[in-house]
Amino acid sequence: MLRSLSTIAREIILDWTSMSLYAAPYVGVMRELHSITDTYGADDARGVVLYFLSNAGSWRGDTARRIKAELKDMLK
């Protein structure tokens, strides 16, 4: 079962204590989204997740690997 993007965003915020300034805006938008098919203004959730992933390279560890894989699976 897929978790909502807002739930995933909360977990990212709790784990990534020194979040990249480039990734933070996308996590903020993800907090407002439920599924990968949602939209936020003119942006779709797929684009938000893709931009987050492209800016989350410095986020490391078990939680980071698990969540990045979860987000990539949502994009399939």
Side-chain angles (χ1 to χ4, degrees):
M1 177 151 169
L2 296 177
R3 297 191 299 159
S4 71
L5 289 172
S6 59
T7 299
I8 293 169
R10 283 192 293 275
E11 188 174 0
I12 293 168
I13 292 166
L14 289 173
D15 186 72
W16 196 3
T17 55
S18 57
M19 188 180 302
S20 160
L21 294 176
Y22 301 105
Y26 301 108
V27 175
V29 172
M30 285 169 52
R31 289 181 64 192
E32 305 297 323
L33 298 169
H34 180 71
S35 75
I36 199 73
T37 59
D38 288 351
T39 58
Y40 183 85
D43 297 320
D44 64 359
R46 294 182 67 80
V48 171
V49 169
L50 284 168
Y51 282 121
F52 167 75
L53 289 170
S54 70
N55 287 287
S58 64
W59 185 32
R60 309 241 189 252
D62 293 337
T63 302
R65 279 189 293 281
R66 179 178 47 79
I67 290 178
K68 288 177 185 180
E70 182 178 3
L71 290 171
K72 288 175 185 175
D73 283 344
M74 288 178 139
L75 293 169
K76 292 181 182 177

